[in-house]
């Protein structure tokens, strides 16, 4: 299941990798076109995959819910439109789910891949896009991420679908927190890894910084919703720490860290 909106170039790479998977058994690849106005529909048509168009757009969780409703498989697998999966990824995910019959949700490693004019990193900061690495062995996890994510259909039937009011940050997190609180098990599958891409202008410092600032604002909203937002003073200290890192380490990616912290601080000063 690939929810997408207006990212035809990324989608083309993702679909090519998903169609080149080693055979894991019967499965269907579905694109959920969330009201795109670019060539998304044409990319899906050329790839020969099923494409469900939503108009008006419903957001990421709405697209996921539409995909769940339009499918019947006992294991529903979600990836973002900006990933590239190696040939053994889907087989590893399906086999991992079979090896952990008591678990209801699964995720695998997510590796950052910046293509093109990406800013230099000093190696001390986190990648500027979503990643996940919980080690080389399968293990129970508190959280996995939607870029590489699978759920048993029985979990949706028992726990409900994704909250479409949650958007921009924490899209799948709230659902997984609820599942975990209700006794559901989440398992990290070490062999089911894929790459999370940024390419072209999206990999430039300016673009990564702009996205990080908005993600910071959204992260602050999520923290407020959960009653776990730190004080404005703490947010300010994080901004200062990122600035120190940037100057002390001469690290361009420190600017991205600072933008995320600045977004959180801005949202805290707005009081929402």
């Amino acid at each position: 299941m690939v929810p997408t909106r207006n990212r035809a170039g990324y989608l083309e790479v993702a679909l090519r990798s998903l169609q080149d998977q080693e055979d894991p058994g019967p499965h269907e690849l579905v694109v959920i076109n969330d009201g795109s106005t670019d060539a998304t529909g044409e990319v899906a048509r050329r790839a020969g995959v099923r494409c469900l168009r939503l108009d008006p757009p419903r957001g990421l969780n709405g697209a996921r819910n539409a995909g769940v409703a339009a499918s019947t498989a006992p294991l529903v697998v979600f990836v973002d439109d900006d990933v590239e999966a190696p040939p053994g990824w889907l087989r590893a995910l399906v086999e991992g789910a079979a090896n952990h019959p008591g678990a209801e949700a699964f995720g695998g490693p997510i590796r950052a891949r910046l293509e093109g004019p990406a800013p230099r990193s000093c190696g001390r900061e986190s990648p500027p896009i979503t990643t996940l690495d919980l080690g080389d062995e399968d293990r129970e996890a508190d959280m996995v991420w939607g870029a590489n994510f699978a759920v048993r259909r029985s979990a949706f039937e028992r726990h409900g679908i994704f909250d479409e009011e949650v958007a921009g940050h924490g899209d799948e997190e709230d659902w997984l927190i609820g599942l975990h609180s209700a006794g559901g098990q989440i398992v990290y599958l070490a062999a089911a890894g894929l790459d999370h891409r940024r390419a072209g202008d999206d990999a430039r410092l300016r673009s990564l910084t702009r996205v990080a600032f908005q993600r910071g604002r959204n992260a602050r909203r999520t923290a407020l919703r959960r009653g776990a937002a730190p004080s404005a003073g703490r947010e300010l200290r994080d901004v200062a720490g990122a600035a120190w890192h940037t100057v002390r380490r001469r690290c361009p990616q420190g600017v991205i860290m600072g933008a995320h912290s600045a977004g959180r601080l801005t949202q805290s000063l707005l009081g929402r």
Side-chain angles (χ1 to χ4, degrees):
M1 202 79 64
V2 190
T4 187
R5 186 167 192 263
N6 287 338
R7 301 224 289 182
Y10 283 107
L11 179 65
E12 188 167 13
V13 173
L15 291 182
R16 189 182 308 124
S17 74
L18 295 174
Q19 290 183 306
D20 288 342
Q21 293 295 302
E22 299 167 358
D23 184 15
H27 66 283
E28 181 184 26
L29 176 56
V30 182
V31 171
I32 311 300
N33 180 359
D34 193 31
S36 297
T37 56
D38 65 356
T40 290
E42 176 62 18
V43 167
R45 187 194 66 77
R46 287 200 307 266
V49 302
R50 183 182 174 196
C51 183
L52 175 63
R53 178 176 174 82
L54 305 181
D55 195 6
R58 289 171 50 183
L60 178 55
N61 275 351
R64 287 170 173 160
N65 289 339
V68 172
S71 62
T72 59
L75 183 69
V76 184
V77 179
F78 302 96
V79 295
D80 285 352
D81 55 11
D82 54 2
V83 305
E84 186 167 16
W89 163 77
L90 186 56
R91 179 186 291 276
L93 196 58
V94 170
E95 290 180 351
N99 291 336
H100 299 275
E104 294 184 285
F106 308 89
I110 303 170
R111 301 176 289 263
R113 197 170 92 201
L114 302 180
E115 303 169 5
R120 180 180 57 82
S121 166
C122 74
R124 293 172 178 262
E125 70 288 330
S126 300
I129 58 177
T130 300
T131 60
L132 181 67
D133 183 357
L134 299 182
D136 297 330
E137 302 289 336
D138 290 3
R139 51 165 289 182
E140 189 168 352
D142 293 327
M143 187 63 59
V144 292
W145 305 125
N148 186 9
F149 180 43
V151 180
R152 295 195 197 278
R153 184 170 298 276
S154 58
F156 291 121
E157 293 168 352
R158 183 173 70 85
H159 187 60
I161 57 177
F162 298 108
D163 185 352
E164 297 185 24
E165 296 299 315
V166 178
H169 186 274
D171 303 80
E172 70 278 348
E173 290 177 55
D174 281 7
W175 189 88
L176 284 166
I177 289 170
L179 177 72
H180 198 269
S181 297
Q185 186 183 31
I186 305 165
V187 169
Y188 168 82
L189 302 174
L194 48 66
D195 292 344
H196 190 194
R197 304 173 56 240
R198 286 293 180 274
D201 285 346
D202 290 346
R204 291 185 182 275
L205 179 62
R206 180 176 58 185
S207 296
L208 293 168
T209 299
R210 183 175 61 249
V211 171
F213 179 80
Q214 188 57 51
R215 288 186 66 186
R217 295 190 65 176
N218 291 337
R220 175 75 187 190
R221 293 189 186 105
T222 298
L224 283 171
R225 188 175 68 249
R226 296 175 183 168
S231 67
R234 170 61 185 274
E235 302 285 22
L236 179 60
R237 286 195 295 274
D238 287 345
V239 173
W244 182 90
H245 173 93
T246 302
V247 174
R248 176 68 177 81
R249 303 291 175 187
R250 298 180 181 179
C251 176
Q253 285 201 29
V255 176
I256 302 168
M257 295 167 51
H260 187 276
S261 297
R264 292 185 62 102
L265 176 61
T266 298
Q267 199 63 31
S268 71
L269 295 176
L270 291 173
R272 61 181 191 273

